[in-house]
Amino acid sequence: MRNQGVTRRRALGTIAGATAVIGTGCVGSFGGGGSGQTLRLLDWEYTYTNGVIEAFEQRHDATVELQAAQSSAQNLSLLRTGRSNHDVVALGNYAVPPAIEEDLIAPLSLGEVPMYDEVFDLVKKDYFTAGGDTFAVPKTFGLTPLIYNTEAIDGEIDSLEALWNRQYRGRIGGRDDARLEILYANAAKGLALNPTSKREFDADAVRQALVERLELTGGLWGSGGESEALIRNNEVAVQPVWNYVANGLINDDLPVKKVFPKEGTKAWFTNHTVRPEAENADLAHRFIDEWHSEMGWSSLMKPLGTAVPNRQVFAEHDVDRSKYGLDDPSQFIYEQPKPPALIEAYSRVWSEAKSRASV
């Protein structure tokens, strides 16, 4: 009978909108917990598949409310404006330092997250710690390779410079994100990859590079689904996409090829954090631990090819680290944390470039 109740309650929450909507994310209420505990989670909805949340609820006799995140920047904004009542909030690596500095997330009790010891050291960043405390547990590790249509493009692509190739005018795609597009421009043009201050940021050179790129652009994407549609609908022939999107297109036998650029492949990782005002901090810590021990493999890593960066997960499922690029960390480039003034400069330059390119 309980399973029937879970199914019906979830349907009511989705169809009737029984749970509140916060920001632009959509909340779904999953199960009914006899203990009265409710875990409120702000995270990317595609992460949780194959009934893993329902299984967690049954193990702990609790309810999980999941609000679908749109971006790490939006999650940070919700925290800053006080519009987040979540226990667990997913943040990109670059968003963790400002959240720590502004007291938006709480120190973690790592004794309650034993699987943390198995997390790969390469994602345990120093900037996740302050005053001897750790504030984030890496949750996912993904790549953003280039992908191109082999029937639409002559020759081989091996460089980010392809995004500035004039013979592909109107067939180049990109992401509508200032930080990432400037990272590509810096890498392709030999500029400072991750400047740490406005003095190190060559705004004029970057703006010009972005204008040139945008003038060749056939479309910009904001989500994995949008990036996939641009390729499937033949609107663009070359663009950066998340690795799971690239794998899906290849598995569907589309005439596409995945490329790890010679300048370095953009890598990203998201992290679980806990709000200081979390109503169920103990349950939040159990959820984070069980992501690594119970949920992550079956809900994300196996079906979508996005790694759970944990040694035990790789060992238990006999997975080759090279399949996820985790055998050679030197091949990656990252979007690193930046001070607010530099982030504002990035946003301004990106907006100016789009205006000049009439995008």
Side-chain angles (χ1 to χ4, degrees):
M1 292 298 293
R2 189 177 189 277
N3 285 339
Q4 292 177 357
V6 169
T7 303
R8 185 170 183 273
R9 182 171 180 185
R10 184 177 185 185
L12 287 172
T14 301
I15 297 170
T19 311
V21 175
I22 304 172
T24 62
C26 176
V27 175
S29 180
F30 285 78
S35 69
Q37 290 189 92
T38 297
L39 182 73
R40 294 178 174 85
L41 174 65
L42 177 61
D43 203 340
W44 286 267
E45 193 171 21
Y46 77 88
T47 297
Y48 301 101
T49 64
N50 297 329
V52 295
I53 284 185
E54 292 87 344
F56 177 86
E57 291 174 319
Q58 291 174 6
R59 285 194 299 274
H60 297 285
D61 197 21
T63 297
V64 175
E65 292 179 358
L66 171 62
Q67 179 182 345
Q70 303 303 306
S71 69
S72 185
Q74 186 206 38
N75 291 0
L76 187 59
S77 177
L78 289 173
L79 290 172
R80 283 172 166 160
T81 57
R83 290 186 293 143
S84 169
N85 68 342
H86 306 91
D87 301 295
V88 178
V89 177
L91 291 174
N93 59 298
Y94 68 87
V96 172
I100 295 173
E101 186 175 340
E102 298 171 39
D103 296 323
L104 302 176
I105 55 178
L108 296 168
S109 301
L110 293 181
E112 298 179 43
V113 189
M115 287 291 285
Y116 179 78
D117 291 340
E118 298 299 318
V119 173
F120 291 138
D121 290 338
L122 71 96
V123 290
K124 290 181 176 177
K125 297 300 185 183
D126 291 342
Y127 52 76
F128 290 171
T129 64
D133 292 319
T134 298
F135 289 77
V137 177
K139 165 184 181 281
T140 61
F141 184 93
L143 315 177
T144 309
L146 292 180
I147 194 166
Y148 69 95
N149 185 322
T150 58
E151 294 182 353
I153 288 179
D154 294 330
E156 297 283 328
I157 287 176
D158 66 354
S159 169
L160 291 171
E161 280 287 352
L163 302 176
W164 278 264
N165 191 324
R166 293 188 175 276
Q167 74 181 81
Y168 307 148
R169 179 183 292 275
R171 305 305 310 281
I172 295 172
R175 186 173 177 187
D176 192 3
D177 186 299
R179 299 179 321 280
L180 298 183
E181 289 303 323
I182 291 174
L183 182 74
Y184 293 135
N186 287 341
K189 302 300 183 182
L191 302 171
L193 191 62
N194 275 292
T196 58
S197 69
K198 289 180 67 176
R199 292 192 306 276
E200 298 175 8
F201 178 49
D202 191 340
D204 292 336
V206 169
R207 186 186 302 106
Q208 181 58 37
L210 293 176
V211 170
E212 293 172 5
R213 169 139 158 63
L214 288 165
E215 287 175 344
L216 305 176
T217 296
L220 296 175
W221 57 272
S223 69
E226 291 174 354
S227 68
E228 181 177 354
L230 287 172
I231 292 286
R232 287 189 182 275
N233 297 337
N234 202 28
E235 295 177 60
V236 303
V238 57
Q239 68 174 348
V241 298
W242 290 325
N243 197 47
Y244 84 87
V245 173
N247 291 341
L249 294 168
I250 292 169
N251 291 339
D252 286 348
D253 294 325
L254 270 71
V256 296
K257 185 173 181 179
K258 182 168 64 174
V259 177
F260 296 135
K262 63 183 182 183
E263 296 89 351
T265 301
K266 170 67 176 67
W268 51 268
F269 52 99
T270 61
N271 311 272
H272 280 137
T273 66
V274 175
R275 288 178 62 249
E277 301 85 1
E279 294 183 9
N280 287 297
D282 290 344
L283 191 62
H285 283 75
R286 287 196 290 274
F287 186 90
I288 294 170
D289 190 62
E290 291 181 20
W291 166 258
H292 291 270
S293 64
E294 304 279 346
M295 296 185 282
W297 165 258
S298 60
S299 70
L300 183 67
M301 190 166 169
K302 182 179 179 181
L304 293 180
T306 297
V308 177
N310 187 294
R311 285 185 291 270
Q312 184 169 312
V313 174
F314 276 73
E316 282 183 355
H317 301 282
D318 193 25
V319 178
D320 184 352
R321 287 176 64 163
S322 66
K323 181 179 179 182
Y324 297 88
L326 288 166
D327 58 319
D328 182 15
S330 66
Q331 68 182 307
F332 301 130
I333 56 176
Y334 298 92
E335 167 60 19
Q336 301 287 17
K338 293 174 173 59
L342 186 53
I343 293 173
E344 291 174 6
Y346 270 40
S347 298
R348 183 174 62 255
V349 167
W350 177 239
S351 296
E352 291 169 352
K354 287 200 293 184
S355 177
R356 294 186 187 186
S358 300
V359 173

